Amino acid sequence: MATDELSSKLNRRLQIEEGEHDPVALDGAHENGAHEKAATSSADSELGAKLQRRGELNEGVGEHHQPSMKVFNPYTEFKEFSRKQIKDMEKMFKQYDIEKDNFIDLMELKLMMEKLEAPQTHLGLKNMIKEVDEDFDGKLSFREFLLIFRKAAAGELAEDSGLHALARLSEIDVSTEGVKGAKSFFEAKVQAINDSNRFEAEIRQEQEDKKRQAEERKKKQAAFKELKSAFK
């Protein structure tokens, strides 16, 4: 039986070489070819979608969405504010970030404005976010929240706008001299040095406050232990 099978295979090979029969691909090879064809088709489709998107952006049809900036250093980017001012803004931001996702969405902004006794319409709230929403995600990151106070300090907010009301009613003093009003390069340089010294002084003050609080806690613990030992 093995001899007959071998003879049949040899005969089949001769017929293929003479052109009498077309070779038939094995099932595995056929499946691999199908998978490769599907993968190529998928890649072509994805590339086509990207090219189409790029064309829309170039023609101004689509909107470019930048990723939200979640990690940044507010003390270096917003040098016009003191550390205390930024910490006050951060405290306020976290107070109204109800979902604790590092964003203030439309409903959280609605609650904030109601608490500040300056309620806004739905359209008014959307316009407030839109004015500082740099990544077009429809909500406020902490950096975008700081932009509100930067615009307020620079006088760039309309007095009848929701953002102006937010900054005015927040009880956060954003007055700052900055270096914009410096009359010369040398005055600006002196101002920059003063800002640097102020920054370092604020850090030292924070460290001293923490040290003093730690010492006060130790004294209270020692007094408590002494009082407790008196009752033994």
Side-chain angles (χ1 to χ4, degrees):
M1 181 176 295
T3 303
D4 293 340
E5 184 177 354
L6 178 59
S7 176
S8 176
K9 288 182 178 181
L10 289 174
N11 187 38
R12 176 67 177 170
R13 172 62 62 184
L14 289 173
Q15 291 176 347
I16 290 175
E17 292 177 354
E18 293 174 358
E20 296 181 8
H21 293 279
D22 293 330
V24 179
L26 297 177
D27 291 342
H30 178 74
E31 291 178 358
N32 289 338
H35 288 315
E36 290 176 1
K37 184 176 180 181
T40 302
S41 176
S42 176
D44 290 343
S45 177
E46 183 178 356
L47 178 59
K50 289 182 178 180
L51 290 174
Q52 181 179 356
R53 176 64 176 166
R54 174 60 61 184
E56 290 176 350
L57 291 174
N58 291 338
E59 295 173 4
V61 177
E63 293 183 352
H64 181 63
H65 292 254
Q66 297 179 345
S68 179
M69 185 178 292
K70 295 182 179 179
V71 180
F72 76 105
N73 188 334
Y75 303 109
T76 57
E77 186 170 349
F78 291 83
K79 293 180 180 179
E80 65 267 38
F81 299 131
S82 68
R83 288 176 63 85
K84 183 181 183 304
Q85 287 173 324
I86 292 178
K87 285 183 177 296
D88 288 343
M89 297 174 201
E90 184 179 17
K91 181 179 179 181
M92 183 179 182
F93 181 85
K94 290 182 177 180
Q95 177 183 353
Y96 292 100
D97 179 17
I98 309 249
E99 295 184 1
K100 305 303 177 187
D101 58 354
N102 298 319
F103 291 98
I104 291 180
D105 60 23
L106 191 69
M107 294 306 297
E108 290 167 336
L109 181 60
K110 179 177 183 295
L111 175 63
M112 178 190 295
M113 298 308 294
E114 289 174 352
K115 289 286 186 181
L116 294 174
E117 298 183 356
Q120 303 289 312
T121 64
H122 183 78
L123 181 59
L125 293 168
K126 292 182 70 174
N127 287 335
M128 287 176 65
I129 293 176
K130 185 178 180 181
E131 190 165 349
V132 290
D133 187 13
E134 293 188 330
D135 54 7
F136 308 105
D137 61 356
K139 51 190 177 182
L140 299 177
S141 65
F142 180 50
R143 181 180 181 279
E144 292 165 343
F145 187 70
L146 291 178
L147 289 177
I148 297 173
F149 295 94
R150 170 177 280 176
K151 286 177 175 287
E156 297 176 357
L157 298 177
E159 293 187 1
D160 59 347
S161 69
L163 291 186
H164 184 272
L166 189 159
R168 177 172 52 84
L169 299 172
S170 65
E171 297 184 356
I172 297 175
D173 182 13
V174 295
S175 59
T176 177
E177 296 178 1
V179 297
K180 294 181 179 179
K183 296 181 181 179
S184 67
F185 169 81
F186 297 102
E187 290 183 10
K189 194 72 174 177
V190 170
Q191 182 64 51
I193 294 174
N194 290 338
D195 288 344
S196 177
N197 292 338
R198 183 193 66 183
F199 186 78
E200 293 176 359
E202 289 174 346
I203 293 178
R204 285 197 299 269
Q205 185 63 45
E206 286 183 7
Q207 292 173 342
E208 291 175 1
D209 290 342
K210 289 180 180 179
K211 184 178 180 181
R212 186 180 67 255
Q213 292 172 2
E215 290 176 352
E216 290 177 355
R217 283 196 299 268
K218 287 182 179 179
K219 289 181 180 179
K220 289 181 180 179
Q221 291 173 355
F224 177 77
K225 289 181 180 179
E226 184 178 353
L227 180 63
K228 184 177 180 181
S229 62
F231 287 95
K232 289 185 177 179

